[in-house]
Amino acid sequence: MNRDLRSQTSSIDIRRRQLLKSAAAIPLATAGAGSASFAQEQEEGGRLSGDFRGVISRQRQPLNAEFPFPTLNSFLTPNEQFYIRTHFDVPKLKAADWSLKTEGHVTHPLEISYDELQKMPSQTLTALLECSGNSRVLLEPPQTSIRWEQGGVSNAEWTGVPLSAVLERAGIRQGAIEVILEGHDKGSFEEPNPTSPGEIHYARSLPLEIARQPEVLLAYRMNGEDLPPEHGHPVRAVVAGRYGMASVKWLRRLIVTNQPFHGMLQTFMYAIWERRHGLPTLTPVTEIGVKSQIARPVLREVVPRGSTYRIFGAAWSGKPEIKKVEVSTDGGRSWNEANLNQKSVPFAWRFFDYQWQVPNRSGRYTLMARATDDKDQVQPMQRDDDRRNAMITHVQPIEVFVR
Ligand SMILES: Nc1nc2c(c(=O)[nH]1)N[C@H]1C(S)=C(S)[C@@H](COP(=O)(O)O)O[C@H]1N2
Ligand SMILES: [Mo]
């Protein structure tokens, strides 16, 4: 009994310390919604796998947690801070027992073990993942799905085998058009309506011409470590340049098909309206749109008048690279070019900063950042409702108090 009591007390102490630690790291919660329950959320999220993880909990079951974007300062997001997006329970898989099947419209159906995969030539690339629902807290009316603030995005270095190498081994048969990536995780969806047809595995398809690109990996390392359980251990896909839902975790099976796949996660979920010939057509979410976010100051921060404040943030696009970021400190009336990190890394985010000469006059000021990529795509000022609850790329106003 004594021992029980002791272990209980120490776990409470640990939780309290975690709360203090995270409160210190994040001066203010970011967007309005969610901030009231911030402390509570932290407490709920305090126990992820193993040690404390430096993420903000959004949902305990299934596990969803965001990167504390206001603390942004390292180009590679540490694994314990990388946002987590799951739809079902995290499967408990051991690398030694794991294998990946490749089947369907192929000449040589395969099953590759973890050891065999490790022996194939590997590639390492840096890629940002962004959940297509990142920044959802900005949407009106409030959405029922995960209300991400700014932290449904993170950047890591991934090592693995190009998916194309496995497809080549399996031999694509004539007429094949897509490959479906299936995860081990499964469950049922009560929402949205219609519900899922009972229990389903997480699965998404990729057109073969995308699947064959060198930036699509079967990854087993993340920032030089084995993939953590929440991020897809032992092997996940990383589809650089596309929204996160394409990067299927806990891979189980690849199915090459000669027909388009219309699974739950690319029809009722993760799909937007596209207008073709004036007719809205439901289309799966694909490439990451150009976007920037201000990490500091945070929403409603008090900034000393007459000071010089370094506005700091990150910008990214899918495959294109960031060419320009502009900052406005007057609610979008005038724009100034920000400094960009010298080196642009394909598929990664690029940091920017702007030295703001804070006026001597107290009041509310609205800060904004707007990114342009090398395909001349500009971050939109307005929300496009055709995007339903996904692809939230419009400029985010950050109101601060100058005092
Ligand atoms: N098997 C499986 N893969 C998955 C998911 C999932 O729930 N199950 N979530 C997807 C979504 S929506 C995102 S945004 C990314 C998030 O990856 P992360 O948790 O490593 O950040 O994983 C994707 N891959
Ligand atoms: Mo996502």
Side-chain angles (χ1 to χ4, degrees), residues 163-164 167 172 176-181 204-213 215-216 239 242 245-246 255-257 259-261 266 283-287:
L163 172 56
S164 63
L167 293 176
I172 308 281
I177 56 169
E178 287 191 346
V179 54
I180 305 168
L181 294 83
R204 278 280 298 198
S205 74
L206 277 178
L208 279 174
E209 70 268 20
I210 302 296
R212 286 193 174 112
Q213 297 296 313
E215 66 267 19
V216 181
V239 183
R242 298 210 153 196
M245 76 281 125
I255 308 130
V256 177
T257 65
Q259 284 172 15
F261 177 60
Q266 56 198 67
T283 312
V285 171
T286 55
E287 283 120 32

Side-chain angles (χ1 to χ4, degrees), residues 17 39 57 62 80 117 182 212 243 276 298 335 340 348 367:
R17 254 180 280 137
S57 170
E80 62 277 8
L117 194 74
E182 183 191 43
R212 286 193 174 112
Y243 280 106
R276 297 188 199 140
V298 296
W335 294 90
L340 286 179
L367 313 182

Side-chain angles (χ1 to χ4, degrees), residues 4 29 51 89 183 230 281 312 323 348 389:
D4 280 348
D51 299 332
D89 287 344
E230 296 80 8
T281 302
F312 177 71
K323 175 170 98 172
N389 67 359

Side-chain angles (χ1 to χ4, degrees), residues 63-65 82-88 91 129-133 148 152 154 158 182-185 201-204 222 227 230-232 236-237 243-251 265 270:
L63 184 58
N64 285 290
F82 202 99
Y83 84 95
I84 300 165
R85 175 71 177 112
T86 67
H87 296 74
F88 310 124
L129 292 187
E130 181 181 19
C131 185
S132 70
W148 302 102
S154 301
W158 310 94
E182 183 191 43
H184 270 276
D185 52 332
H201 280 267
Y202 187 96
R204 278 280 298 198
M222 177 178 182
L227 270 185
E230 296 80 8
H231 296 293
R236 77 174 302 166
Y243 280 106
M245 76 281 125
S247 294
V248 179
K249 303 192 274 187
W250 311 292
L251 279 173
L265 287 126
Y270 300 105

